């Protein structure tokens, strides 16, 4: 009895919550089913992610391993959905034949995601440093002046606005609302002219203005910044790339998150979690709007938006999971079954693709992308774009069964090294690059592949920093020359008097 009382006192409310969730998620294992082992490993995966998220002492919301784990929750969710629906509406599972038993292949896929996550956490724990504090430091005005930030940031945003207006009048005759509503048709339009290069420049300009705003903490700079942020968000959203648009805002919020911790000296995740949920809601709404717009543009009649919305909600699992908008785990059984025979292991060649992705097509070397290979080899008849095989899947097609285990261990080490380095250096521009990589690649890796990483996440911000430093040096030089010349004139007049 004393032991039980001591246990009750030692357990916090979240421990009881985790215990309750554990009982719920593992209870179906004891019921007759074709998926008992699948449910067991999936339940363990779900509990492992929750335990890490809740029990981690320093909960930096935008720390790479933490935000990776937040998105990894989608993996057991997808697996439960597959088991509940028995892959009834999944176009990928029914498009191919399997040499080996599908149930066994699916079980191996679930196990890879479970053991891969555990080894990723082990890699994190191996080199995580607890003594590093969160601090953002800005270059002094003598090194990067306010004027140089304005002279770089504002013109970059203006270039993006000019680019947007060009596309607006070219494709929608200046009708702003139609242009946003028809975002699903954007890829077809850009195939016949138009560009979004200016949007990239404008996005860089926003981070230059954010540097100026946070360092100076002046109201007028906040106005410049928020107007620029909203404008660039609309630009990016108009391309129909919803995740890219949402992640751009997420990166800005993450920088402000670390800035707040740096100023206040404490972590307060609650308001940022609420903001994150709001952004996700906006993303779902934008996805729905893109679908409605696509039907309108293609002259498909919609009797009622409300009835279409209710249909969208009722088929949300199909749109989100079966179509592959969340981690497309349904591809993994075919990879395990046939990749070594039909394609052959890649032995790491797909992991260098991202280095060349920023080069023009004319001089770019041939790209090894599992998403393209899988599509052409087995799923050409399925109506979809390229099929990211998930990061676990990419590790498997490169190194076989060793990949998801040792590969995820190395992945956990690398993303922890990145964050340790960021905390150690305390530099604004390093935080920007780290958050670009974290939200644009690491957070998405349960669903995507290594080619989501890009030098575009790094080089523009190094270039911006160097450009600002050079501009400030030039400004100081000519300012000194002007003051020297002015002093000579003034001294000459005093002599005349």
């Amino acid at each position: 009895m004393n032991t039980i009382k001591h246990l009750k006192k030692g357990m916090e409310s979240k421990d009881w919550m985790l215990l309750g969730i554990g009982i719920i998620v593992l209870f179906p294992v004891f019921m007759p089913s074709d998926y008992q082992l699948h449910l067991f490993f999936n339940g363990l995966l779900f509990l492992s992610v929750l335990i890490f998220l809740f029990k981690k002492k320093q909960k930096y919301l935008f720390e790479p391993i933490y935000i990776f784990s937040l998105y990894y929750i989608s993996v057991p969710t997808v697996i439960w959905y597959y088991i509940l629906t028995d892959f009834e509406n999944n176009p990928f599972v029914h498009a191919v034949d399997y040499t080996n038993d599908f149930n066994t292949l699916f079980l191996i896929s679930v196990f890879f995601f479970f053991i891969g996550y555990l080894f990723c956490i082990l890699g994190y724990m191996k080199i995580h440093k607890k003594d590093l504090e969160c601090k953002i430091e800005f270059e002094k005005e003598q090194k990067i002046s306010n004027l140089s930030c304005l002279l770089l940031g504002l013109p970059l945003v203006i270039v993006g606005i000019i680019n947007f207006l060009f596309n607006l009048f070219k494709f929608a005759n200046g009708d702003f609302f139609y242009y946003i509503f028809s975002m699903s048709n954007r890829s077809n339009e850009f195939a016949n002219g138009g560009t979004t290069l200016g949007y990239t420049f404008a996005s860089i300009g926003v981070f230059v203005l954010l540097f100026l705003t946070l360092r100076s903490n002046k109201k007028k700079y906040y106005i410049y910044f928020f107007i620029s942020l909203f404008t660039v968000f609309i630009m990016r959203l108009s391309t129909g790339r919803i995740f890219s648009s949402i992640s751009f805002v997420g990166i800005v919020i993450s920088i402000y998150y670390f800035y707040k911790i740096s100023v206040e000296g404490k972590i307060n995740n609650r308001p940022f979690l609420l903001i994150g949920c709001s952004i996700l809601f906006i993303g779902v709404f934008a996805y729905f709007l893109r679908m409605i717009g696509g039907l309108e543009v293609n002259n498909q009649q919609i009797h009622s938006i409300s009835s279409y919305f209710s249909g969208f909600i009722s088929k949300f699992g199909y749109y989100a999971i079966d179509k592959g908008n969340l981690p497309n785990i349904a591809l993994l059984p075919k990879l395990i079954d046939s990749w070594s025979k039909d394609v052959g292991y890649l032995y790491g060649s797909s992991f260098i693709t991202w280095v060349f992705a920023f080069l023009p097509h004319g001089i770019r070397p041939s790209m090894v992308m599992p998403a393209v290979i899988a599509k052409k080899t087995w799923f050409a008849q399925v109506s979809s774009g390229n099929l990211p095989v998930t990061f676990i899947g990419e590790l498997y097609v490169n190194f076989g069964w060793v990949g998801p285990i040792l590969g995820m261990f190395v992945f956990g080490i690398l993303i922890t090294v990145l964050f340790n380095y960021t905390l150690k250096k305390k530099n604004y521009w390093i935080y920007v690059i780290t958050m670009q990589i974290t939200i644009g690649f690491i957070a998405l890796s349960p669903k995507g592949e290594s080619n989501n990483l890009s030098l575009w996440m790094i080089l523009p911000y190094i270039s911006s920093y160097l450009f600002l430093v050079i501009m400030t040096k030039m400004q100081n030089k000519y300012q000194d020359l002007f003051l020297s010349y002015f002093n000579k004139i003034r001294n000459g007049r005093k002599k005349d008097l």
Side-chain angles (χ1 to χ4, degrees):
M1 288 294 291
N2 290 333
T3 305
I4 295 173
K5 286 180 180 179
H6 181 73
L7 183 64
K8 285 182 178 179
K9 286 181 180 179
M11 290 182 70
E12 301 175 3
S13 57
K14 58 185 174 186
D15 296 324
W16 288 107
M17 183 183 71
L18 288 171
L19 180 62
I21 292 172
I23 293 170
I24 292 169
V25 300
L26 292 177
F27 179 75
V29 173
F30 302 101
M31 301 176 67
S33 169
D34 293 334
Y35 296 108
Q36 279 183 313
L37 280 175
H38 308 68
L39 288 166
F40 175 70
F41 285 116
N42 195 50
L44 289 180
L45 170 59
F46 185 70
L47 282 175
S48 299
V49 178
L50 284 188
I51 289 169
F52 178 77
L53 290 174
F54 280 108
K55 300 298 287 183
K56 189 176 183 299
K57 290 184 178 179
Q58 274 188 321
K59 294 184 179 67
Y60 290 129
L61 191 59
F62 292 96
E63 182 179 357
I65 191 67
Y66 201 81
I67 202 165
F68 167 79
S69 297
L70 282 173
Y71 190 71
Y72 212 88
I73 285 286
S74 64
V75 171
T77 305
V78 168
I79 293 169
W80 274 320
Y81 173 84
Y82 287 155
I83 293 171
L84 186 65
T85 61
D86 201 20
F87 296 94
E88 182 182 1
N89 299 313
N90 192 281
F92 306 106
V93 168
H94 298 296
V96 292
D97 296 320
Y98 299 89
T99 306
N100 298 292
D101 176 58
F102 175 78
N103 231 10
T104 304
L105 295 169
F106 181 41
L107 175 60
I108 295 170
S109 302
V110 175
F111 180 75
F112 277 161
F113 272 95
F114 167 61
I115 199 72
Y117 181 75
L118 291 187
F119 270 82
C120 180
I121 297 302
L122 284 174
Y124 159 79
M125 293 172 66
K126 183 77 175 174
I127 59 167
H128 172 61
K129 294 183 178 178
K130 298 178 181 179
D131 57 336
L132 293 173
E133 65 171 347
C134 176
K135 189 83 174 173
I136 295 185
E137 295 177 352
F138 302 89
E139 284 79 6
K140 302 295 183 183
E141 198 169 345
Q142 291 82 0
K143 189 169 185 178
I144 296 180
S145 67
N146 291 350
L147 180 60
S148 65
C149 291
L150 290 172
L151 289 177
L152 178 62
L154 290 178
L156 286 173
V157 174
I158 291 169
V159 167
I161 293 171
I162 293 170
N163 189 166
F164 178 76
L165 292 175
F166 170 80
N167 291 334
L168 179 65
F169 282 92
K170 180 178 176 63
F171 300 119
N173 294 319
D175 188 336
F176 174 80
F177 292 104
Y178 174 78
Y179 187 68
I180 298 296
F181 196 61
S182 63
M183 68 175 81
S184 64
N185 204 38
R186 206 71 348 113
S187 58
N188 297 327
E189 291 173 348
F190 287 147
N192 301 314
T195 178
T196 59
L197 182 61
Y199 301 178
T200 303
F201 290 131
S203 301
I204 297 167
V206 166
F207 289 102
V208 173
L209 293 176
L210 179 60
F211 170 87
L212 173 63
T213 303
L214 296 180
R215 186 181 68 177
S216 63
N217 201 26
K218 290 182 179 178
K219 183 178 179 180
K220 64 176 181 179
Y221 295 139
Y222 274 101
I223 294 172
Y224 295 154
F225 167 72
F226 281 115
I227 292 174
S228 300
L229 175 63
F230 179 76
T231 304
V232 175
F233 174 68
I234 295 298
M235 285 181 206
R236 296 177 69 113
L237 193 63
S238 72
T239 64
R241 296 171 183 169
I242 294 170
F243 179 80
S244 173
S245 308
I246 296 299
S247 64
F248 165 71
V249 177
I251 293 165
V252 172
I253 292 171
S254 69
I255 300 298
Y256 185 71
Y257 169 83
F258 286 114
Y259 169 75
K260 286 281 286 182
I261 295 175
S262 177
V263 171
E264 297 177 357
K266 62 180 181 179
I267 301 173
N268 184 11
N269 288 335
R270 187 169 296 177
F272 290 92
L273 283 169
L274 293 174
I275 293 169
C277 292
S278 302
I279 291 174
L280 287 176
F281 176 78
I282 293 170
V284 172
F285 177 76
Y287 181 72
F288 173 73
L289 188 67
R290 188 177 73 179
M291 292 178 63
I292 291 285
L295 295 174
E296 286 285 341
V297 168
N298 293 303
N299 298 316
Q300 297 183 31
Q301 189 175 6
I302 301 174
H303 298 290
S304 167
I305 290 182
S306 60
S307 62
Y308 187 84
F309 180 73
S310 61
F312 171 77
I313 294 299
S314 65
K315 294 182 178 179
F316 185 77
Y318 171 75
Y319 290 120
I321 298 175
D322 286 314
K323 291 191 72 174
N325 288 307
L326 286 177
N328 202 347
I329 301 166
L331 300 175
L332 224 62
K334 186 59 182 175
L335 302 184
I336 297 167
D337 184 59
S338 306
W339 188 279
S340 61
K341 294 174 290 186
D342 295 352
V343 181
Y345 294 123
L346 302 178
Y347 299 108
S349 58
S350 73
F351 290 108
I352 61 172
T353 297
W354 67 274
V355 177
F356 305 105
F358 78 104
L359 295 173
H361 287 280
I363 60 173
R364 185 188 299 171
S366 59
M367 311 279 274
V368 180
M369 298 171 64
V372 177
I373 297 172
K375 173 70 176 178
K376 290 181 178 178
T377 306
W378 302 302
F379 302 103
Q381 73 277 24
V382 179
S383 178
S384 69
N386 293 331
L387 301 172
V389 299
T390 74
F391 193 63
I392 290 284
E394 185 176 9
L395 287 166
Y396 177 81
V397 302
N398 275 276
F399 306 110
W401 66 268
V402 176
I405 300 173
L406 295 184
M408 288 299 286
F409 180 74
V410 173
F411 180 72
I413 288 175
L414 291 176
I415 64 177
T416 309
V417 167
L418 175 67
F419 192 63
N420 286 346
Y421 179 79
T422 304
L423 291 179
K424 186 177 179 180
K425 291 299 180 182
K426 304 177 183 178
N427 183 271
Y428 168 85
W429 301 100
I430 294 176
Y431 269 96
V432 170
I433 292 171
T434 298
M435 288 303 103
Q436 293 278 344
I437 295 171
T438 297
I439 295 178
F441 165 60
I442 296 170
L444 196 62
S445 58
K447 175 186 184 296
E449 297 177 4
S450 61
N451 59 28
N452 284 323
L453 187 60
S454 171
L455 287 176
W456 282 110
M457 298 175 176
I458 303 169
L459 295 180
Y461 303 99
I462 296 175
S463 302
S464 297
Y465 168 77
L466 294 174
F467 194 76
L468 289 169
V469 171
I470 292 169
M471 283 180 66
T472 303
K473 283 184 177 179
M474 292 175 63
Q475 177 191 342
N476 292 337
K477 178 181 177 181
Y478 287 109
Q479 189 174 359
D480 290 341
L481 286 173
F482 174 78
L483 288 173
S484 176
Y485 178 73
F486 178 78
N487 287 332
K488 284 181 181 179
I489 294 174
R490 188 175 61 178
N491 292 333
R493 285 181 179 176
K494 284 182 178 179
K495 289 179 180 179
D496 293 339
L497 292 172

